[in-house]
Amino acid sequence: MAETLPRLRLDPADPLAGLGGFASVALEIGFGGGEHALAEIAAHPEVALIACEVYANGIASLLGRLVPEGGEAGAPLPPHLRLWDGDARIVLRAVPEASLARVFLLFPDPWPKARHAKRRFVHPENLPLIAGALCPGGEWRIATDDPTYQAWVAETLAAQRFFAPAAPMTMRPPDWAPTRYEAKALKAGRTPLYWSLRRV
Ligand SMILES: C[S@@+](CC[C@H](N)C(=O)[O-])C[C@H]1O[C@@H](n2cnc3c(N)ncnc32)[C@H](O)[C@@H]1O
């Protein structure tokens, strides 16, 4: 965390610094242990990924898979990866308008109690932020296994104008990498839903 994270950390004052040569830029909100982020950078070396996570153990887990022990300060790092160890909304506010091709929100914390609904990432207050950062035609991928959150996503999407209406899928499309929370949900017998939304 002390040596490798600063080498990858995004600068909110210049969030796309060094990423101009890539075909497009994607953002992952809450990468957890980093399984999906690592799969994305391996599958798409031409696409830059800004991966955000507030949970220190998650960040440490991703860093541990990126660099071998002893290579923290000097091992080569993927040129198309930036990390943000804070609230993803800070990045969404910092990036230029319409600069992202894709946003991933996979298995966000569900906050199932109604009195905590304001903490859910899919929220009418956050939609303009995500929509503003995405380019026209850009994709927002959402997955959740929590029934309350599934209904909440459907209700929130039905009441907005930024994304074209799209029914959720019950199977993860083949080009989406799996995550640890998805594996937990499937093991527990829950059925995740997957939305692929297009910015109007
Ligand atoms: C339930 S976990 C899912 C992790 C991973 N996406 C997966 O599917 O395995 C949700 C993660 O989102 C992170 N998170 C919650 N709010 C966030 C925010 N505003 N910005 C960045 N990360 C956030 C949490 O720390 C947590 O690790």
Side-chain angles (χ1 to χ4, degrees):
M1 293 290 269
E3 289 183 300
T4 314
L5 179 57
R7 297 171 62 208
L8 284 166
R9 188 185 272 123
L10 169 135
D11 174 6
D14 191 5
L16 303 186
L19 302 181
F22 294 99
S24 61
V25 181
L27 172 81
E28 181 164 351
I29 300 166
F31 61 71
E35 305 80 24
H36 177 273
L38 291 169
E40 278 294 314
I41 59 168
H44 302 290
E46 75 290 1
V47 176
L49 178 69
I50 301 171
C52 309
E53 177 53 63
V54 288
Y55 180 49
N57 284 359
I59 299 163
S61 158
L62 181 143
L63 293 174
R65 293 184 219 192
L66 268 183
V67 290
E69 226 175 308
E72 291 82 357
L77 295 169
H80 55 316
L81 176 66
R82 297 289 180 277
L83 295 185
W84 177 243
D85 53 330
D87 190 329
R89 285 169 295 191
I90 293 172
V91 179
L92 285 166
R93 288 192 187 99
V95 293
E97 201 175 322
S99 59
L100 304 179
R102 227 169 229 166
V103 172
F104 304 105
L105 178 68
L106 305 176
F107 301 89
D109 298 317
W111 298 108
K113 290 185 183 152
R115 69 172 189 277
H116 291 146
K118 258 202 99 92
R119 299 182 192 182
R120 297 175 189 157
F121 209 95
V122 174
H123 191 280
E125 278 180 15
N126 288 338
L127 290 191
L129 271 185
I130 297 161
L134 273 170
C135 61
E139 185 186 21
W140 183 17
R141 293 182 175 182
I142 308 172
T144 179
D145 61 300
D146 182 273
T148 306
Y149 209 92
Q150 291 174 344
W152 170 262
V153 172
E155 184 189 319
T156 307
L157 292 177
Q160 55 80 46
R161 58 186 170 78
F162 304 108
F163 296 93
M169 298 164 275
T170 52
M171 296 281 286
R172 174 166 43 78
D175 65 333
W176 294 32
T179 74
R180 193 181 301 178
Y181 269 80
E182 181 199 69
K184 274 193 193 175
L186 294 173
K187 199 170 169 199
R190 293 190 291 275
T191 305
L193 292 181
Y194 306 85
W195 281 263
S196 167
L197 303 165
R198 290 283 166 190
R199 173 76 170 102
V200 176

